[in-house]
């Protein structure tokens, strides 16, 4: 029976831990949930000085010690809620030093979009290092400081301490910033297999992450990105495409959600294809076994559907593909406006027919490719099992 131990520095915690963002939804044997909410205003609390309030930190150590005794259940997942730029502070990390979790989850609040994940790297762990396999980080700002004029990406300032270098699954949620929350642990990532980036400057984060960590081309098996492409990000889109076409050696699963920028103005001709994320069908690696794509019902995507249809009709296209999710959706703001013009209604109908033609080509393969519903952005935060 899975266990959950909940600790809070004040009275009883106000809420239970939600479902953890573990690969494949795996349920840990023993989750330690630390609730740092200040119960007035739903803000991170200000922890009192240790001499004044030692019980909370001692209770963390006590839970860990008991979990390792004969008959106990070792803690294999830690979730800390209501983090901030100062929390978890050094006292919490020190109290956790003897834990050996495989999964770490750190969540912030709408007001405080920063989390002191770097504090883990400032303490000397008795085990040398936690055996971390997966990390979920809900926040916007990190410890990095990207230098725009840096010539060598590997000489950029690390954004994570070295204790995160061996992480296999990383989820960056809730609009991370590409200037400070790109993934570059000190020494470089050594075994990153699954990367999820949701909203914010997600394409730029991906581009900077692969630039800083060349080994990712050999290790990455699963990629999930939810994005709205800005014209300023076209170079990052090109970097992503180059990775998919030329560098990715082990990539098996791609989940991509592209939202339309409502306020996108006129685009330079040389940027048109990239700002609309066109041409993907021609560059996807043949190692893929699962593909999911959600995009807008825009004119550029309608024209791009011909490439998808042509590619699907070729027996040599994605020969290992087993599942496909593909959906084009009207943006919310368009569904709230007046009824469509005849021209727009005809465009939407044509788009629907083209998508169905594309999917039918894959259904008719031998063996047939299974057609599934693409995930929504909030569902991407729960990564697939490797």
């Amino acid at each position: 029976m899975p266990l959950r131990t909940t600790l809070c520095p004040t009275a009883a915690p106000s809420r239970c831990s939600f479902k953890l963002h573990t690969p494949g939804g795996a349920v840990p044997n023993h989750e330690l949930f630390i609730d740092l909410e200040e119960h007035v205003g739903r803000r991170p609390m200000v922890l009192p000085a240790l001499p004044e309030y030692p019980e909370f930190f001692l209770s963390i150590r006590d839970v860990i010690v008991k979990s390792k005794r004969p008959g106990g259940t070792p803690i294999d997942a830690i979730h800390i809620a209501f983090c901030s730029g100062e929390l978890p502070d050094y006292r919490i990390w020190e109290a956790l030093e003897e834990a050996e979790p495989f999964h770490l989850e750190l969540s912030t609040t709408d007001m405080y979009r920063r989390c002191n994940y770097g504090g883990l790297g400032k303490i000397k762990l008795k085990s040398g290092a936690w055996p971390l396999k997966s990390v979920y980080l809900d926040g916007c700002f990190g410890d990095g400081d990207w230098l725009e004029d840096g010539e060598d990406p590997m000489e950029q300032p690390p954004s994570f301490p070295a204790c995160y270098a061996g992480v296999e699954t990383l989820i960056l949620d809730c609009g991370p910033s590409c200037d400070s929350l790109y993934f570059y642990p000190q020494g470089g990532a050594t075994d990153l297999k699954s990367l999820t980036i949701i909203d914010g400057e997600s394409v730029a984060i991906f581009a900077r992450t692969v630039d800083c960590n060349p080994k990712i081309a050999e290790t990455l098996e699963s990629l999930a990105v939810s994005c709205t492409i800005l014209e300023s990000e076209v170079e990052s889109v090109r970097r992503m495409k180059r990775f998919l076409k030329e560098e990715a050696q082990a990539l098996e699963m791609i989940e991509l959600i592209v939202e339309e920028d409502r306020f996108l103005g006129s685009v330079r001709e040389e940027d048109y294809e990239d700002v609309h994320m066109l041409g993907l069908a021609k560059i996807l690696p043949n190692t893929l076994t699962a593909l999911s794509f959600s995009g807008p019902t825009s004119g550029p995507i309608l024209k791009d559907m011909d490439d998808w249809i042509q590619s699907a009709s070729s027996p040599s296209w994605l020969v290992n593909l087993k599942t496909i999710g593909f959906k084009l959706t009207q943006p919310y703001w368009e569904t709230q406006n007046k009824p469509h013009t005849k021209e727009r209604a005809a465009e939407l109908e044509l788009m629907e027919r083209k998508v169905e033609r594309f999917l039918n080509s894959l259904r008719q393969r031998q063996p047939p490719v299974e057609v599934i519903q693409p995930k929504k952005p909030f569902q991407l935060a729960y990564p697939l099992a490797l």
Side-chain angles (χ1 to χ4, degrees):
M1 175 70 70
L3 298 177
R4 174 185 291 150
T5 300
T6 302
L7 299 176
C8 182
T10 58
S14 62
R15 60 188 177 85
C16 295
S17 175
F18 50 76
K19 179 183 176 183
L20 292 177
H21 300 80
T22 53
V27 179
N29 294 319
H30 190 174
E31 173 195 349
L32 173 58
F33 173 46
I34 300 177
D35 185 356
L36 298 179
E37 179 184 357
E38 182 180 83
H39 296 287
V40 178
R42 295 184 63 79
R43 297 177 299 177
M45 60 179 52
V46 178
L47 293 178
L50 181 59
E52 300 174 11
Y53 197 81
E55 290 84 359
F56 172 60
F57 307 101
L58 292 174
S59 67
I60 295 176
R61 295 179 185 274
D62 189 51
V63 166
I64 295 170
V65 169
K66 288 181 178 179
S67 73
K68 293 187 173 185
R69 288 175 180 168
T73 303
I75 293 167
D76 51 359
I78 294 176
H79 175 199
I80 306 177
F82 282 81
C83 299
S84 68
E86 293 74 37
L87 296 176
D89 69 5
Y90 74 95
R91 296 167 293 175
I92 295 177
W93 288 121
E94 283 186 341
L96 290 167
E97 64 181 349
E98 292 190 37
E100 297 180 280
F102 293 96
H103 178 76
L104 176 63
E105 193 142 327
L106 302 170
S107 53
T108 61
T109 68
D110 291 338
M111 292 177 61
Y112 299 84
R113 304 305 296 164
R114 186 182 293 275
C115 172
N116 185 28
Y117 61 83
L120 178 60
K122 296 178 181 179
I123 63 172
K124 187 174 182 180
L125 300 172
K126 292 187 177 181
S127 60
W130 283 357
L132 279 178
K133 296 298 182 184
S134 55
V135 172
Y136 170 86
L137 180 57
D138 160 12
C140 182
F141 304 107
D143 296 340
D145 185 16
W146 188 267
L147 305 175
E148 291 291 348
D149 56 352
E151 296 183 2
D152 185 352
M154 296 180 66
E155 293 183 359
Q156 289 285 346
S159 56
F160 285 75
C163 56
Y164 292 95
V167 166
E168 295 180 0
T169 298
L170 175 66
I171 306 103
L172 300 176
D173 198 357
C174 294
S177 162
C178 67
D179 288 333
S180 62
L181 206 47
Y182 52 93
F183 184 58
Y184 184 29
Q186 189 172 7
T190 60
D191 200 20
L192 188 65
K193 293 182 170 65
S194 175
L195 176 60
T196 299
I197 313 170
I198 301 176
D199 298 334
E201 299 165 308
S202 51
V203 177
I205 289 175
F206 175 79
R208 291 177 176 182
T209 296
V210 296
D211 276 343
C212 291
N213 305 277
K215 194 171 178 62
I216 287 180
E218 304 172 18
T219 62
L220 194 65
E221 299 176 11
S222 177
L223 173 64
V225 174
S226 172
C227 61
T228 300
I229 307 298
L230 305 177
E231 191 171 4
S232 59
E233 292 183 288
V234 291
E235 287 300 328
S236 297
V237 174
R238 290 168 186 154
R239 181 66 185 94
M240 174 185 276
K241 288 182 174 181
R242 189 165 77 249
F243 178 85
L244 296 177
K245 183 179 180 180
E246 302 173 6
E247 300 173 17
Q249 301 173 29
L251 200 56
E252 297 183 7
M253 297 176 281
I254 293 179
E255 296 176 289
L256 183 60
I257 299 176
V258 180
E259 303 281 353
E260 185 175 21
D261 180 7
R262 180 180 182 180
F263 303 104
L264 183 66
S266 58
V267 178
R268 294 184 303 176
E269 183 178 351
E270 60 267 31
D271 296 337
Y272 182 84
E273 183 172 293
D274 296 312
V275 81
H276 293 291
M277 194 67 85
L278 307 181
L280 288 177
K282 301 293 187 182
I283 62 170
L284 295 174
N286 244 337
T287 51
L288 288 186
T289 61
L291 171 64
S292 176
F293 177 81
S294 294
T297 53
S298 63
I301 294 290
L302 175 60
K303 295 178 182 178
D304 198 48
M305 281 307 305
D306 293 334
D307 271 355
W308 288 101
I309 293 170
Q310 182 183 10
S311 297
S313 65
S314 171
S316 62
W317 186 71
L318 301 186
V319 293
N320 297 300
L321 195 65
K322 297 178 181 178
T323 62
I324 177 76
F326 198 98
K327 187 175 183 179
L328 303 180
T329 306
Q330 288 179 259
Y332 175 78
W333 53 265
E334 185 183 35
T335 63
Q336 303 304 302
N337 291 337
K338 297 178 181 179
H340 299 307
T341 63
K342 289 184 179 180
E343 291 79 8
R344 179 57 172 161
E347 184 179 63
L348 292 172
E349 184 179 345
L350 177 58
M351 201 170 301
E352 187 176 342
R353 291 201 304 269
K354 286 192 173 187
V355 170
E356 194 59 26
R357 182 179 171 188
F358 164 69
L359 293 175
N360 281 338
S361 293
L362 297 174
R363 288 188 181 105
Q364 293 167 10
R365 282 189 174 183
Q366 293 301 325
V369 177
E370 179 186 5
V371 176
I372 62 173
Q373 283 294 319
K375 290 181 181 178
K376 295 180 179 180
F378 76 92
Q379 293 172 318
L380 285 188
Y382 297 91
L384 298 170
L386 294 174

